[in-house]
Amino acid sequence: MSFLELHTPGAPLLMPNAWDAGSAKLFQSLGFKAIATTSSGHAATLGRLDGRVSRDEALEHCAALVAATDLPVSADLEDGFATDPAGVAETVRLAAEAGLAGCSIEDFGGGEIYDAGRATERVAAAVEAAHSGSRRLVLTARCENHIRGRDDLDDTIARLRSYQEAGADVLYAPGPRTADAIGAIVAALDRPVNVLALPGVPPVAELAALGVARVSVGGAFAFAALGAAAEAAAELRDSGTYGFWERAGAGARAARESFGP
Amino acid sequence: MSFLELHTPGAPLLMPNAWDAGSAKLFQSLGFKAIATTSSGHAATLGRLDGRVSRDEALEHCAALVAATDLPVSADLEDGFATDPAGVAETVRLAAEAGLAGCSIEDFGGGEIYDAGRATERVAAAVEAAHSGSRRLVLTARCENHIRGRDDLDDTIARLRSYQEAGADVLYAPGPRTADAIGAIVAALDRPVNVLALPGVPPVAELAALGVARVSVGGAFAFAALGAAAEAAAELRDSGTYGFWERAGAGARAARESFGP
């Protein structure tokens, strides 16, 4: 089954976001069928905030995750590391060379949300690159409105329809949390829709009933890991005790099952 | 204060083991005064079991952690990636070039515990390299008996004394958990002793009373992080819910405090 075929409205593909080769192998071992990258989680491994990773670094990271797992990998390529459509297309071509099964392109870059026309031109260029090579990539077009302070569902839906008409394979607007909003997005489109599993979003079973085709978590698993590390370190620092080994033991067992021979 | 001066018997240096640049910055932000690497935790980021990382990969990783933090970094260099003393010395020279403040060399390699004479020659060569360059490294000599199935405290103490006579700056035998065993090791030596904070080891306050000078955690924080990721992913897979965001939110806040601007 191709990566695109795994996108089933009503039976969403659960696509965890890995931040290094080890977490990608872990998620494969846990039975997931596809892996995403996360720009914020990857940046965190480098000790940087989101948005401070170069295209070369992102693509090298993607290639490492592709090499680590047998599963399709879809990359969070932020704004395509370019403002102009040709630059976005070049990034998508390089993504195909890195062995990715898919990638996402956002409509926010350089500190602003692109106007809808420009954003659609960027999606069209990305689609052209994604579909014309010897490896056909699944191109996800992202509308960043709701996580960039523009909580305008009508505009979001209009943009996603425009990105669909430009040929995007999957549509994605991180941020909306209510069943009404998510249902309205799904109903307005006839391509698979990805939902970001934020706090307050309906659980997966309800998303399935709404017709959602894919669920991802952004940086959540990466930051859950970092949060556990902070908890463990604070225990050592503040109490001088080692209760962190309970979770560490489980993690070490999971690693043996995921990495071993 | 130099890295060596941070080793205070009775007031142990807490040295968390980082596995990437982000975790190193996190631990600096949490107030620790030195950072260690962990061979098992680093291997896990690459999706590999411990012992499957090359010398070049380990040294590149060390340089990345040195660049990420202002703190002294001490590297877990396993068996020195060599059997012969000259090879161990070359690894220590390269460790100094990577900007490390210290490193550890184990007496287990190639599937066996080296006999005490050979192990001491290896330590002597490591010490010579650690102390003769323009950057003086703190050389930790490790006795692997207790984590390699030889639970012989007398032999451990004899080895650590021999490594001390060969010039090691810090002595370390991971594995012993009782106050009696740890106290006997400290009492037999007159150099700083590192203890691995395993489950069942006395808490830091008691280690301090025993005269321990440094406490590290091996791969525990790395695997606590991976364990939390596995918990989070299993929640998504099995329950379709997003309770993982509580820890993820704390992790994201810690990241902003550690990495920003």
Side-chain angles (χ1 to χ4, degrees), chain B residues 134-174:
Chain B
S134 58
R135 287 178 58 94
R136 185 185 173 95
L137 292 194
V138 172
L139 194 286
T140 298
R142 282 179 56 153
C143 171
E144 303 296 290
N145 274 350
H146 301 272
I147 59 171
R148 294 293 182 179
R150 184 190 283 173
D151 210 17
D152 180 343
L153 186 63
D154 289 342
D155 183 69
T156 296
I157 288 175
R159 283 172 174 264
L160 293 175
R161 289 181 68 110
S162 181
Y163 304 160
Q164 173 177 289
E165 284 157 24
D169 299 297
V170 177
L171 289 314
Y172 177 21

Side-chain angles (χ1 to χ4, degrees), chain B residues 1-7 13-18 24-25 27-28 31-37 62-76 95 98-103 135-138 214:
Chain B
M1 193 178 289
S2 74
F3 178 49
L4 187 57
E5 289 167 338
L6 293 170
H7 294 70
L13 171 65
L14 301 181
M15 189 168 72
N17 303 70
K25 286 196 172 187
F27 298 141
Q28 174 167 346
F32 294 93
K33 301 302 182 199
I35 302 290
T37 72
C62 291
L65 266 59
V66 166
T69 163
D70 306 318
L71 300 178
V73 178
S74 185
D76 172 354
L100 290 161
C103 64
R135 287 178 58 94
R136 185 185 173 95
L137 292 194
V138 172
R214 193 174 79 191

Side-chain angles (χ1 to χ4, degrees), chain A residues 19-22 25 30 32 44-45 47-48 197-199 201-204 207 220 223-225 227-229 231 233 237 240 242 245 247-248 251 259, chain B residues 19-22 25 30 32 44-45 47-48 197-199 201-204 207 220 223-225 227-229 231 233 237 240 242 245 247-248 251 259:
Chain A
W19 55 95
D20 61 19
K25 285 194 173 189
L30 292 173
F32 294 94
T45 68
R48 301 183 209 158
L198 290 169
V201 165
V204 170
L207 294 180
F223 290 107
E231 281 175 45
R237 181 193 63 188
Y242 322 126
W245 271 104
R247 185 169 289 123
F259 309 157
Chain B
W19 55 95
D20 60 19
K25 286 196 172 187
L30 292 172
F32 294 93
T45 68
R48 302 183 209 158
L198 290 169
V201 165
V204 170
L207 295 180
F223 290 106
E231 280 175 47
R237 182 193 61 187
Y242 322 126
W245 271 105
R247 184 169 288 121
F259 309 155

